[in-house]
């Protein structure tokens, strides 16, 4: 008789776990609280679904144990991921290492996963909210929902985090993990816009500018990221800010002073920019200080950076290191993913619970979050494949 597996959550990692468990010969039932699976997957990459990234390293993954996370990813790596989707029928496009479906549609990815799941006879039950996982005396499980109970020999918890505006995103993983005796690092928004103190935001709202964001915690530089900065009516956003936001959220949770310094001309050193501004003034002596910046930086940004007359060194300083104090993050609904989850030290290399044999944690339910650029989906594919295959008694 086939081993019975219950998968809780029909997102990226849950569907992958279901497929790999079914491929290993298990009878799989997937429980999804939404009216259909994969709704968060459809929203990834603004609907384009950045599947993975060719540029892989442990530095792309965060949590208490990124080395362990990367070991798991290395077992079902980017090449195997692309091969998996290619076998399902997906043609991909490489955009400077960022891998997308050639169609540019996340729906293509979801359709192919659902078709494979159906072909493997995975039973998908929607509008099912899991309330409890009850361990039986013989080591099996009953997974209880509001209206039914599902027996199984193993359970994979793949129900994600509260991140995303998609209806149904929840903290179910935390409740289930704690009920099973696990420590759970609190969910915090990661890859999220940051809220800042100040009164000028209406002046720069909507501006996009190439620049470098540097995070400072208690006046010590933590890290920097360069790319397109998005300036909002409440603070800052864009990929460089997203890459640093989980660390800012962590510092804020500890009550630490958290700042960003924005460099709007990263191609210039402070000294070179000072000299360049001096040369521009000599070439056009009729221009004011603000006039000198027209053609260098977005025009609406100029009065924010130069609220008063300044000498060239002061002007360069404001352009190269404009300070903003971080007071918080945008809501979980505006976050792409969460940090936090079950610590990897409480899970085996196959993501099986060290406390309750037969229970597995994948995706955001485990304490791993990735940088922007397809890394969170790579963790979803890798963790789902490992947990699903092993839960069914197979191997990767």
């Amino acid at each position: 008789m086939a081993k019975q597996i219950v998968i809780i959550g029909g997102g990226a990692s849950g569907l992958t776990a279901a497929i790999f468990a079914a491929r290993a010969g298990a009878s799989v039932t997937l429980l999804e609280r939404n009216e259909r699976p994969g709704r968060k997957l459809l929203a990834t990459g603004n609907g384009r679904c950045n599947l993975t990234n060719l540029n892989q390293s442990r530095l792309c993954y965060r949590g208490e144990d990124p080395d362990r996370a990367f070991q798991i990813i290395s077992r079902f790596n980017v090449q195997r991921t692309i091969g998996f989707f290619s076998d399902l029928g997906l043609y991909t496009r490489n955009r400077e290492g960022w891998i997308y479906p050639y169609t540019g549609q996340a729906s293509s990815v979801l359709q192919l996963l659902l078709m494979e799941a159906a072909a493997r006879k995975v039973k998908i039950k929607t509008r099912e909210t899991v309330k409890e996982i009850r361990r039986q005396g013989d080591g099996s499980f009953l997974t209880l929902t509001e209206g039914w109970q599902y027996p199984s020999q193993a359970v994979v918890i793949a129900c994600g985090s509260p991140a995303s505006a998609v209806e149904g995103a929840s903290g179910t993983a935390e409740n289930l993990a704690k009920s099973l005796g696990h420590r759970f690092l609190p969910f915090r928004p990661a890859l999220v816009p940051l809220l800042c103190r100040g009164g000028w935001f209406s002046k720069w709202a909507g501006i996009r500018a190439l620049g470098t964001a540097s995070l400072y915690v208690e006046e010590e530089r933590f890290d920097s990221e360069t790319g397109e900065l998005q300036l909002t009516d409440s603070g800052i956003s864009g990929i460089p800010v997203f890459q640093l936001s989980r660390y800012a959220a962590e510092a804020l949770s500890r009550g630490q002073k958290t700042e960003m310094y924005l460099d709007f001309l990263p191609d210039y050193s402070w000294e070179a920019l000072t000299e360049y501004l001096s040369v521009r003034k000599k070439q056009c002596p009729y221009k004011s200080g603000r006039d000198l910046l027209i053609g260098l930086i977005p025009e609406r940004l100029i009065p924010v950076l130069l609220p008063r007359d300044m000498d060239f060194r002061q002007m360069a300083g404001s352009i190269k290191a404009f300070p903003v104090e971080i007071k918080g993050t945008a809501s979980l609904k505006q976050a792409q993913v969460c940090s936090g989850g079950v610590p990897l030290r409480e899970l085996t290399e196959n993501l099986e619970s060290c406390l309750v044999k037969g229970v597995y944690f994948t995706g955001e339910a485990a304490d791993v979050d990735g940088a922007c650029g397809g890394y969170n989906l790579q963790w979803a594919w890798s963790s789902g494949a490992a947990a699903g295959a092993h839960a069914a008694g197979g191997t990767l």
Side-chain angles (χ1 to χ4, degrees), residues 198-216:
W200 62 84
F201 300 120
S202 62
K203 297 179 181 178
W204 77 5
I207 293 175
R208 294 172 180 251
L210 177 65
T212 296
S214 298
L215 175 64
Y216 281 72

Side-chain angles (χ1 to χ4, degrees), residues 67-87:
D67 290 323
R68 184 88 175 280
F70 195 61
Q71 288 171 4
I72 294 167
I73 286 164
S74 297
R75 291 166 55 211
F76 190 79
N77 59 21
V78 64
Q79 288 77 23
R80 289 191 68 180
T81 297
I82 293 171
F84 167 64
F85 281 104
S86 178
D87 290 345

Side-chain angles (χ1 to χ4, degrees), residues 206-324:
I207 293 175
R208 294 172 180 251
L210 177 65
T212 296
S214 298
L215 175 64
Y216 281 72
V217 177
E218 294 291 349
E219 301 184 352
E220 291 289 328
R221 183 182 175 278
F222 180 84
D223 202 359
S224 296
E225 292 283 346
T226 298
E228 186 183 72
L229 301 173
Q230 297 176 22
L231 310 179
T232 73
D233 58 5
S234 58
I236 51 179
S237 186
I239 289 178
V241 173
F242 278 17
Q243 304 288 44
L244 298 169
S245 61
R246 67 101 64 201
Y247 302 111
E250 200 173 277
L252 289 166
S253 73
R254 296 192 295 264
Q256 294 176 302
K257 182 180 180 182
T258 307
E259 300 170 288
M260 287 270 192
Y261 284 83
L262 307 180
D263 180 352
F264 291 100
L265 281 175
D267 290 345
Y268 282 87
S269 68
W270 193 323
E271 293 75 13
L273 181 55
T274 300
E275 178 61 25
Y276 182 53
L277 292 171
S278 175
V279 170
R280 284 171 74 93
K281 180 66 174 179
K282 290 175 182 176
Q283 291 172 332
C284 303
Y286 56 87
K287 289 185 177 180
S288 67
R290 288 185 176 183
D291 291 342
L292 292 175
L293 300 188
I294 295 174
L296 273 181
I297 60 176
E299 192 170 347
R300 285 201 298 119
L301 190 56
I302 294 172
V304 176
L305 300 185
L306 273 68
R308 62 184 186 282
D309 290 335
M310 298 179 174
D311 62 33
F312 295 139
R313 288 191 61 80
Q314 290 173 322
M315 291 170 63
S318 186
I319 295 167
K320 293 289 296 175
F322 186 77
V324 288

Side-chain angles (χ1 to χ4, degrees), residues 109-144:
V109 179
L110 179 58
Q111 280 183 279
L112 291 171
L113 288 170
L114 292 174
M115 289 169 68
E116 177 70 5
R120 299 285 174 176
K121 297 182 170 51
V122 173
K123 302 178 186 70
I124 297 179
K125 306 290 186 179
T126 58
R127 297 179 180 174
E128 284 282 46
T129 299
V130 173
K131 298 299 183 181
E132 182 184 354
I133 299 171
R134 188 174 296 169
R135 186 164 40 166
Q136 305 293 88
D138 62 357
S140 66
F141 301 92
L142 277 180
T143 299
L144 280 65

Side-chain angles (χ1 to χ4, degrees), residues 3 27 53 105 117-118 122 151 177 189 234 269 275 326 360 396:
K3 188 174 183 180
S27 174
N53 200 304
Q105 296 178 317
V122 173
S234 58
S269 68
E275 178 61 25
I326 310 302
Y360 297 77
L396 276 181

